[in-house]
Amino acid sequence: MEQSDKAVPSPCIGVCRLDESGQVCAGCHRTLDEIAAWSGYRAEQKEQVWRRLLALPLPVQRKTCARCGSGFTCGAGGEQGGCWCADLPRDLSPLAADSDCLCPACLQKQLAQGAPR
């Protein structure tokens, strides 16, 4: 195996169970064939699987703000069809945070203050 093959991490998140179809992992969303062949894939093949996985729509979830406790929707409402938080500056987006999401109001307050979360 070449060094570049080792640089492509597995999408596995340790939630290994099949979805209703019985053909796709509910955790990482790889097909059974992709899971079985992963260790033998070249880097290009692994990257192709990652591209497919990253193109999947995010699941829409109801969450509770870690700061104020209000409920909000995560995974929808953004300009590009994804989560609304992806439209915020990268330094405030929960994608760059150590903790879970904040609601839109708390993130907007944080943006106005200009302080890191």
Side-chain angles (χ1 to χ4, degrees), residues 1 5 34-43 45-46:
M1 179 182 289
D5 288 340
E34 290 169 339
I35 293 167
W38 185 262
S39 63
Y41 277 170
R42 296 183 316 275
Q45 292 169 298
K46 291 178 179 181

Side-chain angles (χ1 to χ4, degrees), residues 2-115:
E2 24 178 290
Q3 181 65 22
S4 63
D5 288 340
K6 293 180 183 176
V8 181
S10 170
C12 180
I13 61 168
V15 180
C16 305
R17 66 179 186 279
L18 297 177
D19 69 0
E20 292 176 9
S21 74
Q23 298 298 309
V24 176
C25 176
C28 68
H29 304 288
R30 287 182 294 170
T31 66
L32 289 177
D33 290 341
E34 290 169 339
I35 293 167
W38 185 262
S39 63
Y41 277 170
R42 296 183 316 275
E44 301 82 35
Q45 292 169 298
K46 291 178 179 181
E47 290 167 0
Q48 183 178 10
V49 171
W50 269 109
R51 283 191 295 277
R52 183 186 68 75
L53 296 174
L54 292 171
L56 294 173
L58 290 173
V60 176
Q61 303 173 21
R62 288 292 304 156
K63 291 199 169 195
T64 302
C65 179
R67 183 162 295 159
C68 72
S70 67
F72 65 98
T73 301
C74 182
E79 292 177 15
Q80 301 294 319
C83 190
W84 54 267
C85 71
D87 298 335
L88 297 173
R90 178 76 177 144
D91 60 337
L92 278 181
S93 172
L95 300 175
D98 302 3
S99 63
D100 204 357
C101 301
L102 298 179
C103 69
C106 286
L107 276 175
Q108 291 300 333
K109 285 179 191 173
Q110 195 69 38
L111 181 60
Q113 293 172 351

